[in-house]
Amino acid sequence: MPSIRCIVAATDFSEFSERAVRRAARIAQQHNAQLHLLHVVRPLDLYPSLTQTPDEFGHSDQELQQAEQTRVEAMATALSGQFGIRVLPVTRIGRAHTEIAGYAQEVAADLVAAGARGESTLKDLFLGSTASRLLRVAECPVLIVKKPVDEPYRKVLAAMDFSPVSAAVLGHAFDLADGARVETLHVLGSEVEQRLRKAKFVRLDLTDWLTRQRADAEEQLDALLAPVEKGAAARRLVQPGFPPAVICQCIEDGQVDLVVLGRHGYGGGLQDWLLGSVSKDVAFAATCDVLLIGMGGR
């Protein structure tokens, strides 16, 4: 079972990052973890329209960082008082996604929380550019917070493809559920079925093939749930279809608050070697919070 001891929450002081910070604080409270509140200052030399000398850029960046450090410290004090947790205020200068990922690795974070969108929302309407890039470079699990934080999670969906990361997906689902209802989902890949139908593979009974696939999937779900203390209470779902669509439909139908899945799995293809296509589609389209787990489980 994963253990959450250190959480990094990224903030740019936007509404969406405020949600991420508060969710991270609630999780830290539940697990008696330390929360690192991180704000990344974008250096002025990344703005092509500005014309200053390197020294002028550096001096301006440092002044802004000092001002933002004061702002982050005030947020940290408020969070510490409200949630009764340890909060460390931190600022960095650089590109947001690389600084967040680097800092998380530096402090051996067990979880990074970020808002679905930040101050700039035009480029990526449903998933901000920082969150999208962070998913590709962070080594630890990344929680993309989309929903307002009013209460703990009530229902968690663990979507598993039986790749090596599936056990970690299940463990993190129970860890963040903290008593909430957990459902497990495996989507029977429709690509093989579609290709067989197109090829008119008449020697294969597709109905029988799908039945055997379902039975095998249920056995694998049982095997993954067996070591989990609360596994007997978890509902098993096995459904055919296009995985991102089925996962998102289950989220809507089941009023899921959090979905957990691997960032890399089977069938991603070379074109999605940085972030699996299913993970990417769900991260963009899901209406609930999304927790993505890397191959290392951290």
Side-chain angles (χ1 to χ4, degrees):
M1 183 69 70
S3 177
I4 299 176
R5 302 173 303 274
C6 177
I7 303 171
V8 174
T11 179
D12 62 2
F13 310 115
S14 65
E15 176 187 351
F16 276 85
S17 70
E18 172 68 14
R19 295 179 184 180
V21 167
R22 293 187 64 81
R23 176 60 69 186
R26 185 178 290 277
I27 295 172
Q29 182 185 53
Q30 292 170 349
H31 296 271
N32 192 29
Q34 184 179 56
L35 176 63
H36 295 243
L37 185 60
L38 174 63
H39 173 69
V40 180
V41 176
R42 181 180 174 90
L44 290 175
D45 61 7
L46 292 182
Y47 294 89
S49 60
L50 297 178
T51 56
Q52 287 182 296
T53 67
D55 288 341
E56 289 174 327
F57 276 134
H59 183 69
S60 297
D61 290 339
Q62 290 174 7
E63 286 184 338
L64 179 57
Q65 183 180 15
Q66 291 174 1
E68 298 292 59
Q69 179 69 28
T70 300
R71 192 175 179 184
V72 174
E73 288 173 357
M75 288 183 62
T77 300
L79 288 168
S80 181
Q82 181 178 358
F83 291 93
I85 58 176
R86 296 161 291 167
V87 184
L88 179 64
V90 184
T91 56
R92 290 287 189 271
I93 299 177
R95 297 181 184 275
H97 64 289
T98 55
E99 292 298 326
I100 295 169
Y103 182 79
Q105 184 177 14
E106 178 183 326
V107 300
D110 301 298
L111 180 70
V112 170
R117 289 155 58 183
E119 290 182 329
S120 178
T121 61
L122 292 178
K123 183 176 180 181
D124 295 286
L125 182 59
F126 296 107
L127 189 65
S129 58
T130 295
S132 180
R133 293 167 183 166
L134 179 61
L135 291 175
R136 290 169 168 80
V137 298
E139 295 188 0
C140 67
V142 177
L143 175 65
I144 302 299
V145 180
K146 300 188 177 186
K147 303 187 70 173
V149 182
D150 299 320
E151 55 190 18
Y153 292 128
R154 293 164 298 181
K155 184 183 286 188
V156 178
L157 178 67
M160 295 178 289
D161 60 2
F162 305 135
S163 63
V165 77
S166 292
V169 167
L170 185 62
H172 281 84
F174 276 103
D175 214 23
L176 266 68
D178 197 46
R181 181 180 177 183
V182 176
E183 294 187 345
T184 59
L185 168 68
H186 175 71
V187 182
L188 297 174
S190 59
E191 181 180 357
V192 174
E193 178 189 1
Q194 291 174 358
R195 291 182 65 179
L196 289 174
R197 291 187 186 280
K198 288 181 179 180
K200 298 182 179 179
F201 206 113
V202 294
R203 295 183 181 180
L204 179 66
D205 186 335
L206 291 180
T207 301
D208 178 66
W209 178 77
L210 283 173
T211 300
R212 286 186 283 110
Q213 290 288 103
R214 179 183 294 275
D216 181 63
E218 291 173 348
E219 288 183 6
Q220 292 190 66
L221 285 177
D222 288 340
L224 283 167
L225 284 163
V228 181
E229 182 180 356
K230 302 174 184 177
R235 182 185 176 194
R236 282 80 157 159
L237 299 173
V238 179
Q239 297 186 15
F242 180 56
V246 172
I247 293 171
C248 289
Q249 190 62 54
C250 285
I251 290 170
E252 292 296 322
D253 293 344
Q255 297 182 322
V256 170
D257 300 305
L258 170 69
V259 60
V260 186
L261 66 162
R263 273 188 281 176
H264 308 270
Y266 291 141
L270 293 177
Q271 72 276 16
D272 291 301
W273 69 278
L274 285 175
L275 182 66
S277 58
V278 173
S279 305
K280 180 173 58 180
D281 290 346
V282 173
F284 273 77
T287 55
C288 67
D289 293 359
V290 181
L291 177 63
L292 290 149
I293 313 297
M295 289 299 291
R298 284 195 72 258

